[in-house]
Amino acid sequence: MASMTQVPDPAADSASCAGGHRHHAFDVAAGLLEAERVCTAAGESLTPLRRDVMELLLRAHGPAKAYDLLQALTAGAAKPPTIYRALEFLQRMGLAHRIESLNAFIACGIGACAKNAGFLICTACGWAEELLADPVNAALEGAASERGFRIAGAVIEARGLCRDCAPSVATK
Amino acid sequence: MASMTQVPDPAADSASCAGGHRHHAFDVAAGLLEAERVCTAAGESLTPLRRDVMELLLRAHGPAKAYDLLQALTAGAAKPPTIYRALEFLQRMGLAHRIESLNAFIACGIGACAKNAGFLICTACGWAEELLADPVNAALEGAASERGFRIAGAVIEARGLCRDCAPSVATK
DNA sequence: CGGGATTTGTAATACTATAACATACGATAT
DNA sequence: ATATCGTATGTTATAGTATTACAAATCCCG
Ligand SMILES: [Zn+2]
Ligand SMILES: [Zn+2]
Ligand SMILES: [Zn+2]
Ligand SMILES: [Zn+2]
């Protein structure tokens, strides 16, 4: 298999995933509408390419790797800068996030949040659930201010087992 | 210049750094003693190679890149697996940490903390200060438990300006 | 010494990301 | 309509990060 991350082929549609059990998924249609709305509001354009990448992220069953997205675009004819540029744009719009500890990208699960989201990453099924990380950021702010440090942004990524996977791993 | 990260040449000693102002540094001798102690306590061996890498991390004026460390080891004769293996060992011992958002490594600033440390990374001087991230982890735990998620570990990395740099950037 | 486990060396390759420059395209102003 | 400008995309090449697989050396114990 080319990769572990689940970038769907264009035909796939449902929320079934590699692990076999169905769970977690984005609402693709709603996500695309929201993306259009956000870009318009920002005076930017959700071009066909950017929209295609957004759709791939929304259909993915978890964080997607850049080169897998690249392969999924027009059957791999695109070159690396194509995908990195589209991802950078989507991140700038708050429509997607990069997960540093996975070198992967995911659609925003909260809705155009430009900053300081957090993720709970399941090591069993690969899903990453987004958090509004306000309490976490507040705790970070507290620690930072004690040291005279001014926070501009933060990476918050927890690894562990999601509700669905904790039982199956525990009983294994 | 080969790289921005500050892996010292073998002669360098003080806490002066690329930015010109002196600040932040590890206590090299104490760090090596502690490393020896931790490894012995764990029934593992701090071999000359591992010790050399630990010393490079302690002398570095901030997070160090793997290939820069590699270059600093015996003037670049070593191959990539050499450094990645040593770094993995040091991380396992809690003597070093990987900073995901920088693809870089840093000596533990707290003392053999195996898990869940956090970092405040200054984007001006490049230093990364380690936090005992207990309050942050507590906040994360709270958010996770609401979702039935069991956290095994977390990446907590804030970017911003340290106490020393905030004024100089503000007045620039 | 023999034998097994750990550590290190080495070569090859996979994976991730950016720089630099060329081309295309849509909007606006003559 | 044509020129021009800014934005977006295409293309080539290269830089940077990390792992796999196997070979050799070393250490520890019996
Ligand atoms: Zn988000
Ligand atoms: Zn799961
Ligand atoms: Zn530490
Ligand atoms: Zn600083």
Side-chain angles (χ1 to χ4, degrees), chain B residues 10-79:
Chain B
D13 206 350
S14 81
S16 69
C17 101
H21 58 302
R22 58 169 43 226
H23 58 179
H24 328 287
F26 294 106
D27 181 330
V28 178
L32 288 174
L33 278 173
E34 168 74 357
E36 200 78 64
R37 193 190 64 68
V38 166
C39 291
T40 301
E44 301 268 7
S45 161
L46 188 67
T47 63
L49 174 61
R50 290 164 174 173
R51 189 186 146 94
D52 286 351
V53 173
M54 186 74 214
E55 183 168 352
L56 286 172
L57 289 178
L58 288 165
R59 289 192 188 279
H61 302 147
K65 310 286 271 179
Y67 275 69
D68 291 339
L69 294 166
L70 197 53
Q71 175 60 33
L73 272 185
T74 66
K79 308 284 189 259

Side-chain angles (χ1 to χ4, degrees), chain A residues 97-119:
Chain A
H97 301 286
R98 176 179 164 84
I99 299 186
E100 299 290 344
S101 57
L102 299 176
N103 290 348
F105 302 84
I106 190 167
C108 178
I110 289 179
C113 63
K115 52 180 0 181
N116 287 10
F119 291 92

Side-chain angles (χ1 to χ4, degrees), chain B residues 77-155:
Chain B
K79 308 284 189 259
T82 300
I83 196 71
Y84 284 105
R85 287 192 286 227
L87 288 169
E88 187 226 21
F89 172 83
L90 295 173
Q91 288 174 263
R92 186 153 44 83
M93 293 296 105
L95 296 168
H97 300 285
R98 176 180 163 81
I99 299 186
E100 299 289 344
S101 57
L102 298 177
N103 290 348
F105 301 84
I106 190 168
C108 179
I110 290 181
C113 66
K115 52 179 3 180
N116 288 10
F119 291 92
L120 301 176
I121 304 163
C122 180
T123 52
C125 69
W127 183 254
E129 177 156 0
E130 186 168 352
L131 294 176
L132 260 178
D134 288 343
V136 181
N137 281 315
L140 250 185
E141 278 294 352
S145 64
E146 285 174 15
R147 293 164 173 77
F149 190 101
R150 292 157 65 115
I151 292 180
V155 172

Side-chain angles (χ1 to χ4, degrees), chain A residues 65 67 80-81 84-85 98 103 105:
Chain A
K65 310 285 268 178
Y67 275 69
Y84 284 104
R85 288 194 283 227
R98 176 179 164 84
N103 290 348
F105 302 84

Side-chain angles (χ1 to χ4, degrees), chain A residues 61-75:
Chain A
H61 302 146
K65 310 285 268 178
Y67 275 69
D68 292 340
L69 293 167
L70 196 53
Q71 175 62 33
L73 272 185
T74 65

